[in-house]
Amino acid sequence: MTNSIREIRDADCLFIIGSNTTEAHPVLAMEMKRAALRGAKLIVADPRKIWLSGMADHYLQLKPGTDVALLNGMAHVIIAEGLTDSGFITEHTEGFEAVRAQVRDWTPERASAVCGVPADEIRAAARLYATTHRAGIYYTLGITEHTHGTDNVYGLSNLVLMTGHLGRESSGLNPLRGQNNVQGANDAGASPVFYPGYQRVTDPEAQAHFEAAWGVPLDPDPGLNLNEMMKEIRSGGLRGLFVMGEDILMSEPNVSELEKSMPALEALIVQDIFLTLTAERADVVFPASCFAEKEGTFTNSERRVQRVRKAVEPPGQARADWEILLALTERCGYTGNAGMTPPEIYDEMAGLCDKFAGISYARIEAEGGLQWPCPTSDHPGTTYLHSDGPLRGKAQFIPIDYRRSAELPDPDWPMLLSTGRTLYHYNAATQTRREDGVNDKQQTCFVELHPHDGGTLGVTDQQEVTVQTRRGEIVAAVRLTTRVAPGRIWLPMHFSEARANLLTVDDGDGVTGTAEYKVCAARIVC
Amino acid sequence: MAHPDGNRADDKAVSIVIDGRQVNARAGETLLQAAERIGVTIPTLCHDERLAPTGACRMCLVESSDSRRMVPACRHPVVDGLVVQTETERVARHRRGLLSLYAADVDVVPGTELQAHIRRYGLDPGLPAANAPRAGRPDDDNRYVLFQPESCIVCARCTRYCDEIEAVSAITLAHRGSQTTIATVDDVSLLDSTCELCGGCIDTCPTGALVERKSAHRQATFPALKPVRTTCNYCGVGCQFDLQVDAAANEVVRVTSPAPGETTNDGNLCVKGRFAYGFIGHPERLTTPLIRDEAGELVATDWDTALDRAAALLQKTAARHGANSLGFISSSRCTNEENYLVQKLSRAAFGTNNCHQCAAT
């Protein structure tokens, strides 16, 4: 997030796209509700009628995977009606002319024909966003889990830059991180292209910096991203896998293909707190600790580094993940970490990264969390980014064009399937499905279907059906609901006996590799 | 309405006197807010800074120079030149009398705001129990939120929280007079209402009338639990909360949120953060390292054996197929330090950049 969570309540316009905020980020959504009850205007763009769409001034029910058309249509209106911030564009950006040329043909009518949102609603939303001073954009996986996810983000960033809605309180571009430490895992360099602190592995200076610090030669070439790793297991390029805290057989797309190739792995080491589907296939399983059993830090969506503190002892012989990693690294022949404690590990990382250099456990204890960039020990941290213009030189406009999703419905596979999270469970649900109270609300998998389609298929509410795609099938109970539009179905990803990822495509975004969990073609069989 | 420069229209400075001390305040503030700023605590029951003030409980009445009668500090606006007294004998007499009425009406629960006020100000006159029970929801089968009507003073913090913060309006005041109670529409279970089980009603309740059902039977021991402030492990909002620990039993008994205003989450939590902690001590947790034996079964082993086996398998694979035949999946569920260590294992121990965190796809 370029902004802080506390700034949401003071926004006057919130543009929420591809984020079912009340279910995926409930407490942040409370800030959005608070803003709306105060009088802030809400624009909600989502293929599915989410809770917040009922509170919205403009609800844009776009077709899944057509975000670029919608955003280009909005950009067209903003430019055509003279609502850009030309001072900001001149002073802080480059490449605007290319975007202007790109969206010239994207009239609201043309955008509407692709995305299904009425042209006048596109106009109204564009005007409201552009003409409100404190206007923030909030998005999550509805934007990124597409083969054109990066384009979607560029589309949003173009809107931000042309309106100058950046570098102020409550105005900016705010991806909401889906998991507790997505931000921190990226920050810490768990990435095939970045060392800690977003220093590129292909940058010889960065390589030399880390080689000097760690005392070993490092690989100058980028590694495989997660999506590529899964495919390399299938093709035999990847022969050994270490997995900490993920159930890849629940979470990775098109999982039946992955499952078939798992026996070819010569080494599968899993470190987790439960015997997950993936752990059941492992050669070695390390019993790890949950957040309540260890010391450390998480970094939240607003870049705030906060403490994780040990409250109870782990069960049996289970150990903190960091302890296991220190021991394993040493036995794999690298001794540079030996005997370190969590604050020392943090200090080592912070010492190698300008962005976090001023952050330490002592300061977090004293100040209750610090937001990076925080380059020095007397720096107060940064509540919102770009207050002096973009972090690095001028911000770049990127022209984008609409591309179809990888797999769209056809006569044999007539329904468009999207997947997602619900309020009551969490991702692979290894934790939440072991909790009776939330299971009372949601015990089994369901598939949302429009009543009109229910009638056509002769399906009644709660009836069990088979959802099929070219890759697999699952059984789920139908929920007839107008939350989804006709021709589209939606189901949650939480249920190991009805894995959404048997169905999803594994085509990934060209830049990030993030798979297209939000769009594939399906059919319902009764 | 906000001004473009961020200033609000009603920022006019005023000066008042509270308990003999000069206080600079801004028009639009309340006496309670001005008093808090100089460290003067005025007791409240129905007040929650996240909610619009109602002045319903009468606990915060103070003497103010602009009124013959005492005024509720929580909703009385500051006016330039006002002289306020928060601890006179008249105020104290009022507090004792009011608390006597509450104590006659409800069962006082240890560790609550109501009990703290009674301890501080006393009860006078002592009154017999009013014996005017209000209705509960005995058939509400949700496992999280328990309403104990015998401890409810009907301050409506819970219903206002449900309206103004969670904004789902699942609970409401119902009936009249001494019968007034907290109800759902048609007294249905919260599971069948618009409730999203955030538990904010429990957190804001000043009397313990709303309590987490899972730990309700231990309500008397709550003051003895050890709070451990930490960060929630679910979504990326990073809510801060206190794990309330029974150290002798090595058990998280319940989760509570910090006071409003203290952390990013402003005292709020969601259903998962507040209630879905049962996995921590769950009987299915892994408790020993496991390795695959010659028969192909996963069997328990000791740490040395497991670590040696894992290191040997990874090293053998790297030796046979090259370091880039290895992949390291790190976890966005784990800490910064642990993610740093995984990428270092990948890069420094094996020399491959095939390292990615699980949320990447």
Side-chain angles (χ1 to χ4, degrees):
Chain A
M1 293 173 70
T2 63
N3 298 95
S4 290
I5 293 164
R6 252 334 236 283
E7 296 168 25
I8 296 172
R9 63 177 64 172
D10 293 322
D12 292 317
C13 172
L14 298 140
F15 179 18
I16 301 157
I17 179 166
S19 160
N20 185 4
T21 326
T22 61
E23 297 206 50
H25 301 89
V27 173
L28 189 142
M30 291 181 192
E31 294 288 331
M32 293 175 165
K33 295 170 184 176
R34 183 173 178 142
L37 293 172
R38 201 197 83 245
K41 303 289 187 192
L42 257 55
I43 303 164
V44 174
D46 201 297
R48 195 161 154 254
K49 281 183 191 140
I50 57 172
W51 194 96
L52 280 172
S53 62
M55 224 180 190
D57 298 87
H58 298 284
Y59 170 50
L60 317 177
Q61 191 171 23
L62 75 166
K63 292 178 189 162
T66 64
D67 309 76
V68 165
L70 172 68
L71 300 174
N72 276 355
M74 288 178 69
H76 175 96
V77 172
I78 290 168
I79 295 170
E81 300 191 2
L83 305 177
T84 54
D85 182 340
S86 51
F88 185 91
I89 293 172
T90 310
E91 205 174 328
H92 295 302
T93 73
E94 52 196 26
F96 176 61
E97 284 309 316
V99 167
R100 181 207 290 272
Q102 174 71 48
V103 304
R104 187 166 289 138
D105 298 333
W106 278 99
T107 62
E109 282 70 23
R110 182 181 168 205
S112 176
V114 176
C115 74
V117 177
D120 282 345
E121 277 294 295
I122 298 174
R123 285 194 180 86
R127 288 171 190 148
L128 177 62
Y129 172 71
T131 59
T132 309
H133 186 71
R134 289 168 177 264
I137 295 178
Y138 303 86
Y139 71 90
T140 174
L141 303 182
I143 282 292
T144 53
E145 286 183 348
H146 291 281
T147 46
H148 44 82
T150 301
D151 289 352
N152 290 348
V153 174
Y154 287 147
L156 291 171
S157 116
N158 289 341
L159 292 183
V160 169
L161 296 177
M162 72 178 61
T163 55
H165 287 335
L166 189 67
R168 296 190 310 265
E169 277 189 15
S170 314
S171 298
L173 185 59
N174 296 295
L176 311 179
R177 303 298 195 173
Q179 301 179 50
N180 54 320
N181 205 29
V182 174
Q183 184 68 52
N186 285 326
D187 296 350
S191 155
V193 294
F194 292 119
Y195 293 120
Y198 304 94
Q199 302 172 70
R200 288 196 175 273
V201 298
T202 49
D203 173 1
E205 268 185 45
Q207 185 187 340
H209 182 55
F210 284 94
E211 284 180 341
W214 295 343
V216 288
L218 296 171
D219 185 352
D221 297 321
L224 301 168
N225 67 39
L226 182 52
N227 194 335
E228 289 164 344
M229 282 192 225
M230 296 302 106
K231 289 174 179 168
E232 287 290 323
I233 294 173
R234 278 145 61 177
S235 66
L238 207 74
R239 300 299 187 99
L241 194 64
F242 171 87
V243 186
M244 173 176 81
E246 190 199 4
D247 189 357
I248 57 173
L249 290 178
M250 268 296 283
S251 302
E252 295 305 319
N254 190 10
V255 76
S256 56
E257 288 297 316
L258 174 63
E259 214 156 17
K260 277 183 237 161
S261 55
M262 293 286 278
L265 283 174
E266 295 169 23
L268 176 60
I269 318 299
V270 173
Q271 177 169 322
D272 215 310
I273 63 172
F274 289 107
L275 192 66
T276 60
L277 294 176
T278 308
E280 284 174 10
R281 315 285 291 262
D283 299 299
V284 181
V285 181
F286 295 136
S289 291
C290 75
F291 80 114
E293 297 155 353
K294 59 190 178 187
E295 302 289 340
T297 54
F298 292 154
T299 305
N300 75 354
S301 285
E302 55 175 6
R303 299 162 278 103
R304 186 185 300 274
V305 184
Q306 305 186 112
R307 276 300 313 276
V308 175
R309 295 187 179 88
K310 182 173 177 174
V312 288
E313 293 296 329
Q317 298 178 48
R319 291 184 183 174
D321 295 75
W322 61 268
E323 290 179 279
I324 303 168
L325 289 164
L326 288 179
L328 179 63
T329 305
E330 201 168 343
R331 288 182 201 227
C332 290
Y334 180 80
T335 54
N337 297 332
M340 291 180 88
T341 62
E344 290 166 350
I345 298 164
Y346 194 88
D347 286 347
E348 177 179 310
M349 177 176 76
L352 292 164
C353 307
D354 292 343
K355 285 183 173 65
F356 327 126
I359 302 178
S360 64
Y361 276 42
R363 281 196 72 191
I364 296 171
E365 294 293 342
E367 300 170 48
L370 276 162
Q371 288 172 281
W372 66 259
C374 180
T376 57
S377 58
D378 56 357
H379 189 285
T382 307
T383 54
Y384 58 93
L385 300 178
H386 311 304
S387 60
D388 309 317
L391 278 179
R392 5 176 303 182
K394 293 201 167 192
Q396 186 72 40
F397 277 98
I398 312 272
I400 43 162
D401 209 354
Y402 168 69
R403 289 184 285 130
R404 289 160 51 94
S405 303
E407 182 183 270
L408 286 172
D410 58 32
D412 288 338
W413 305 94
M415 310 297 285
L416 193 158
L417 168 68
S418 299
T419 65
R421 183 192 293 175
T422 71
L423 174 63
Y424 296 102
H425 287 294
Y426 182 86
N427 294 11
T430 41
Q431 297 178 357
T432 50
R433 288 197 81 196
R434 291 183 165 91
E435 180 67 42
D436 293 337
V438 289
N439 282 328
D440 286 345
K441 287 295 282 192
Q442 209 170 75
Q443 188 99 39
T444 52
C445 191
F446 60 90
V447 55
E448 290 184 348
L449 179 73
H450 193 277
H452 174 81
D453 292 327
T456 308
L457 291 162
V459 175
T460 53
D461 199 44
Q462 301 303 325
Q463 181 179 335
E464 281 203 341
V465 297
T466 302
V467 183
Q468 292 181 337
T469 70
R470 289 182 174 88
R471 292 154 295 281
E473 63 179 45
I474 64 165
V475 173
V478 163
R479 275 195 195 170
L480 292 179
T481 172
T482 54
R483 288 184 85 182
V484 290
R488 304 176 202 160
I489 53 178
W490 186 94
L491 55 83
M493 56 169 152
H494 306 305
F495 299 93
S496 57
E497 67 282 13
R499 282 181 286 168
N501 293 349
L502 288 167
L503 306 175
T504 47
V505 293
D506 53 5
D507 301 80
D509 178 82
V511 176
T512 64
T514 300
E516 194 150 62
Y517 293 105
K518 299 302 185 191
V519 178
C520 72
R523 64 186 174 208
I524 285 188
V525 181
C526 316
Chain B
M1 194 60 208
H3 284 249
D5 62 0
N7 291 327
R8 301 278 155 168
D10 51 6
D11 266 3
K12 194 165 140 291
V14 299
S15 177
I16 67 172
V17 174
I18 297 177
D19 294 346
R21 292 165 63 189
Q22 196 82 24
V23 187
N24 294 320
R26 290 185 305 280
E29 278 191 308
T30 63
L31 297 185
L32 186 67
Q33 289 167 326
E36 267 171 11
R37 192 148 359 92
I38 59 163
V40 170
T41 305
I42 299 171
T44 61
L45 284 169
C46 71
H47 175 74
D48 180 322
E49 67 176 47
R50 296 167 293 188
L51 308 175
T54 60
C57 74
R58 315 316 280 172
M59 193 69 225
C60 69
L61 294 193
V62 293
E63 295 200 64
S64 177
S65 59
D66 62 349
S67 170
R68 198 169 52 79
R69 303 166 63 175
M70 289 187 286
V71 300
C74 72
R75 58 177 302 172
H76 199 73
V78 293
V79 178
D80 205 28
L82 214 57
V83 178
V84 177
Q85 291 180 291
T86 73
E87 293 286 348
T88 63
E89 177 48 33
R90 183 184 176 199
V91 170
R93 195 167 62 237
H94 161 74
R95 288 173 185 163
R96 290 192 298 269
L98 179 71
L99 288 167
S100 297
L101 292 168
Y102 282 133
D105 188 33
V106 303
D107 293 349
V108 178
V109 175
T112 60
E113 290 174 43
L114 178 61
Q115 191 210 30
H117 293 335
I118 290 171
R119 284 197 169 164
R120 180 165 167 196
Y121 300 107
L123 302 173
D124 185 33
L127 295 173
N131 198 20
R134 47 181 61 87
R137 286 191 306 283
D139 299 330
D140 188 338
D141 58 348
N142 90 82
R143 290 179 211 247
Y144 289 149
V145 183
L146 176 65
F147 176 48
Q148 307 178 123
E150 61 279 7
S151 293
C152 176
I153 60 167
V154 211
C155 68
R157 264 164 76 166
C158 54
T159 58
R160 289 181 289 133
Y161 184 92
C162 199
D163 287 340
E164 297 175 30
I165 304 295
E166 179 66 337
V168 298
S169 300
I171 51 175
T172 182
L173 292 177
H175 310 305
R176 288 175 177 276
S178 66
Q179 303 287 302
T180 308
T181 190
I182 310 299
T184 57
V185 173
D186 295 334
D187 278 333
V188 296
S189 162
L190 286 178
L191 294 177
D192 301 318
S193 72
T194 53
C195 176
E196 295 186 345
L197 298 172
C198 75
C201 52
I202 294 173
D203 180 65
T204 195
C205 178
T207 66
L210 282 156
V211 67
E212 185 189 9
R213 192 187 292 267
K214 286 196 287 185
S215 56
H217 63 288
R218 296 163 81 163
Q219 200 169 14
T221 72
F222 287 170
L225 299 174
K226 177 182 152 216
V228 178
R229 175 68 49 89
T230 192
T231 305
C232 180
N233 93 137
Y234 286 109
C235 81
V237 174
C239 293
Q240 300 293 287
F241 56 47
D242 293 329
L243 298 172
Q244 300 284 348
V245 179
D246 178 341
N250 193 41
E251 183 188 0
V252 174
V253 175
R254 64 178 190 142
V255 175
T256 56
S257 49
E262 205 173 295
T263 63
T264 298
N265 46 310
D266 200 16
N268 303 310
L269 290 174
C270 77
V271 56
K272 292 189 286 251
R274 191 185 300 278
F275 296 126
Y277 55 82
F279 72 90
I280 296 173
H282 196 278
E284 288 167 16
R285 284 286 301 274
L286 289 169
T287 56
T288 65
L290 306 172
I291 52 170
R292 199 161 292 284
D293 68 9
E294 283 166 9
E297 298 295 319
L298 276 180
V299 294
T301 186
D302 59 83
W303 273 105
D304 270 336
T305 308
L307 286 163
D308 282 341
R309 173 78 70 88
L313 281 169
L314 292 171
Q315 285 175 321
K316 201 167 73 183
T317 307
R320 194 180 295 162
H321 306 288
N324 285 326
S325 72
L326 295 180
F328 294 81
I329 302 178
S330 193
S331 180
S332 59
R333 313 303 321 284
C334 290
T335 64
N336 289 324
E337 294 75 8
E338 288 155 355
N339 277 282
Y340 180 79
L341 290 179
V342 171
Q343 62 89 38
K344 211 170 159 185
L345 171 65
S346 169
R347 293 186 165 118
F350 287 99
T352 176
N353 286 314
N354 290 345
C355 172
H356 215 175
Q357 59 133 330
C358 64
T361 189

